[in-house]
Amino acid sequence: MADAKAREAKEQLAAARDSASQQVVRAYNGLLTSLAEYEAATVLNQAAHTAYEAALRSYRQGVGTYTDLATEENAVVQGDTQVEDARANAHTAAAALALSVGAIDIAGVKP
């Protein structure tokens, strides 16, 4: 009877360790993905700003249309929004990783 309980406790411990390991791996992968998304959004945003500046110069010189300028301005706003969303997602993923490795607990108090 005691051997069966000890074996069951060991199995439960192993299952808990596996679950914790999987949670850490998922959180780490989530952070890597979020950081890659942030980097991509930043590059895209820089491209949008460059295109806007080109459209503005063209408009000022009379060879570009206001529609082109407004389109590029909209792309800049969307790019800025994507960067901020990606930054927030990266912070959330970092917090999830910290929680999964035990650096913080649910109450936000360091263990």
Side-chain angles (χ1 to χ4, degrees), residues 23-53:
Q23 183 180 7
V24 169
V25 169
R26 280 192 304 270
Y28 179 73
N29 288 339
L31 178 58
L32 290 180
T33 301
S34 294
L35 291 173
E37 288 174 1
Y38 175 74
E39 185 177 335
T42 300
V43 170
L44 191 63
N45 191 32
Q46 289 170 349
H49 279 274
T50 301
Y52 172 76
E53 290 168 8

Side-chain angles (χ1 to χ4, degrees), residues 93-104:
L97 179 59
L99 181 64
S100 70
V101 298
I104 57 174

